[in-house]
Amino acid sequence: MIIDLPIHILIALAFIGWFSGLMGAILLVHHRVLIGDVLSHSVLAGSAFVFLIFMDASFPMLIAGAFASTILSAILIEFIRTNTPLKDDVILGIVLAFMFALGISFLAVAQRIPDVDKAILNTLLLGEVSAILPNEVPYMVIASVIGSLFIWGFYRGWFFTGFDSVFGYTQHLPVGIIRKILLIITASGILLTAYISGVVLAVGLLIAPALIGRYFSTRLHTTLLIAGFSGSALAVLGGFISASIEGLSTGPLIVFSAGLIGLLTIMFSPHYGIILHKLRYQIFKWTRGMENILRAGYKLLEQKGNMSYAFTIEELKQTCDDPPPSWTLLLKVLEWKGFVQKKGTRWTFTSAGLEKARHLTRLHRLLELYLSEIVKIAPERVHSYAESLEHIITPEVEKRLYELLRDKQYDPHKKPVPWNGSG
Amino acid sequence: MNTVIKVSNLTAGYDTGPVIWGVSFEIPEGVVAGIVGPNGAGKSTLLKVMVGMLKPHSGTVLFWNKQYDEVYKRIAYVPQKEEVDWTFPATVYDVVMMGRWVHRRLWGRITKTDRELVKQALETVEMWDYRHRQISRLSGGQQQRVFFARALAQDPDLFLLDEPFAGVDMKTEEKLLELLKNQASQGKTVVVVHHNLFTASEHFQWLVLLNMHVVSAGPPDSVLTPENIERAYGGHLPVLARLSQRLSSLKEKPTR
């Protein structure tokens, strides 16, 4: 399949995508992504207004008009914020609705004017990268580079505006000015984003790369880098997809692919991903189940007074206080791991299994001792606490427990602590 | 003893009217001082005026006989934990480095000395091993220690801490206090805004008892008299009874 995407469009997408990612990441760490949405919805009003006045739909004119209206929106937001007790969601909602309604009205009027080329106005709504002309690309590249330099240049500043502004104020850093610069960067940068993804969906191209950056890193500069690169990649990807399917606007495709990848990030990222988090929980549940089986087996053998006794699942069930999610499956896993052996309907411990079971029992009983003797919890209650703690003890804590309780022979329920092989 | 902070006849507040009225007191060099008072006494307002975040209606605050604007780099302010955004993408190291950015401003080069000071600060609060830890994954006590490390990295002569002991456990409180006392013994001055009157007499070598006016200022023994406490806390009897008990038991011990 040959995809017809001219090189100048590719360049524009890569640069604007990069810049949008950076911008989105900075807005995200300031919890102000929605301001990007409001400003992008304001683009239409300015562009259409300029067209109505000058009857000129050339790129510089539209950009100038758009910039005027994003700046107006920014000023409006700040004005309402400082002069009323209204909360951000209300302010942003009002300004967005007002400016977008204004833009749509101007657009409707513009449609009725005959004999002037105004196709570009329509493409602003949903974005159409094929409308980008080669002579516009240098402006876009330069604007993206300047915008990115501003974002990197104020790297330290974002810590004082985003993380701890009070500290910044007390040390006479220009916190207020840096905040205004963020607004100006957004107001001008969003024009570029809106130009490729459309004014309605521009926020998608800010938020998706920013999420990827945020989810895959713990520091600001890596967040910015990842967001920038993913913005670039997502914009180019969307461009390719739209070029390969006839009659589809670019904007929705760029934002759709960005959104999809953003959602996948939320699901699968290593630190905060939902899926991995759930997976880790399941793994823990199963490990815990296996440990409980081993300990129940050990207790059973102790009762029988015979460490090579062959037990049935029924006998195990009666000994275990904290039943695992599945008996047969987990016993199979334990067999596969070489801890137990199946003989007909009965099971025995291998020597590795017995050692593991003894270790777990030792840990459990030492924890009971610790809880009753040092934390002074009543002996009848320590069992259930030890039951949950024994699965999450680290080797370091375990070592401390051994040192602390090394001369204890019996747990609070008078059961022997299996210190060594004799059990 | 040299005076580090001199507050004279300070009246300050918000649009709705002053919160503190005609406040005057001094804090000497080399002490851990506490600004203590009930809720709504104007402690935070006072601190905000001191660090130049709020313009006073009248009166002055002088540090080493100078205006705050001339000496702010020598003063490290530690805000309340709740005032900052702990979800910000930064590591412990990044936050402590902010203490050096105060001197290097927005674009100055970070030198070897800066990195060395950050390392020392983190080692002092025993958080060097956590330097790569994302700040959202710290406990309350660890957050407070990171904040204090940032102040240390700034290498100031005066520390101003806003409620550093709020929401941290006893052990962290003791540890932090030890760090503060250590700084004081090196000739630095530490001022702590603190709401707990009961621990105040043990924690601080100098007290400012505040309730919109300065009720009393000086060494704890002279400040925490029943009359002063009644004036500050409005004769809240249970408070008074418990405190006088505490005080009498303290007085039996030799003073340090």
Side-chain angles (χ1 to χ4, degrees), chain A residues 214-351:
Chain A
R214 190 67 193 81
Y215 267 75
F216 281 100
S217 89
T218 52
R219 300 182 74 182
L220 185 59
H221 63 271
T222 43
T223 304
L224 285 174
L225 274 177
I226 297 172
F229 280 118
S230 9
S232 236
L234 291 172
V236 170
L237 182 72
F240 270 117
I241 298 175
S242 80
S244 64
I245 304 170
E246 195 65 37
L248 269 179
S249 290
T250 334
L253 278 170
I254 292 180
V255 173
F256 175 73
S257 48
L260 196 66
I261 292 175
L263 278 177
L264 288 176
T265 309
I266 297 176
M267 303 296 254
F268 292 106
S269 105
H271 292 299
Y272 316 95
I274 299 166
I275 300 287
L276 275 179
H277 186 78
K278 290 236 188 297
L279 195 67
R280 270 195 291 266
Y281 176 70
Q282 284 305 323
I283 290 173
F284 173 71
K285 224 166 88 183
W286 291 83
T287 321
R288 178 180 167 140
M290 284 190 274
E291 291 180 356
N292 285 339
I293 291 180
L294 287 171
R295 220 163 48 69
Y298 188 86
K299 203 163 140 193
L300 190 64
L301 300 189
E302 261 185 339
Q303 285 165 8
K304 300 282 175 194
N306 173 8
M307 285 301 156
S308 44
Y309 178 78
F311 46 83
T312 62
I313 293 185
E314 269 320 303
E315 283 175 305
L316 270 186
K317 280 185 187 168
Q318 277 161 24
T319 329
C320 190
D321 312 314
D322 184 8
S326 159
W327 288 92
T328 39
L329 192 66
L330 286 179
L331 271 167
K332 281 243 155 43
V333 180
L334 284 171
E335 187 180 17
W336 175 73
K337 285 181 143 191
F339 288 144
V340 292
Q341 269 175 334
K342 193 171 182 183
K343 284 179 182 157
T345 55
R346 291 181 173 268
W347 300 78
T348 53
F349 277 138
T350 63
S351 57

Side-chain angles (χ1 to χ4, degrees), chain A residues 104-115:
Chain A
I104 294 285
S105 313
F106 286 155
L107 190 63
V109 177
Q111 302 292 12
R112 294 206 201 114
I113 298 168
D115 305 332

Side-chain angles (χ1 to χ4, degrees), chain A residues 366-398:
Chain A
L366 285 178
L367 272 170
E368 289 188 338
L369 271 170
Y370 171 78
L371 287 169
S372 75
E373 300 210 347
I374 295 172
V375 190
K376 305 283 182 208
I377 290 173
E380 62 272 17
R381 284 169 53 209
V382 296
H383 177 76
S384 59
Y385 290 138
E387 191 79 64
S388 19
L389 281 174
E390 65 189 26
H391 307 285
I392 50 170
I393 292 284
T394 61
E396 187 196 355
V397 178
E398 190 179 330

Side-chain angles (χ1 to χ4, degrees), chain B residues 180-196:
Chain B
L180 299 180
K181 285 184 173 158
N182 229 322
Q183 290 300 313
S185 67
Q186 290 169 32
K188 315 265 168 141
T189 307
V190 181
V191 177
V192 177
V193 167
H194 189 61
H195 68 280
N196 189 344

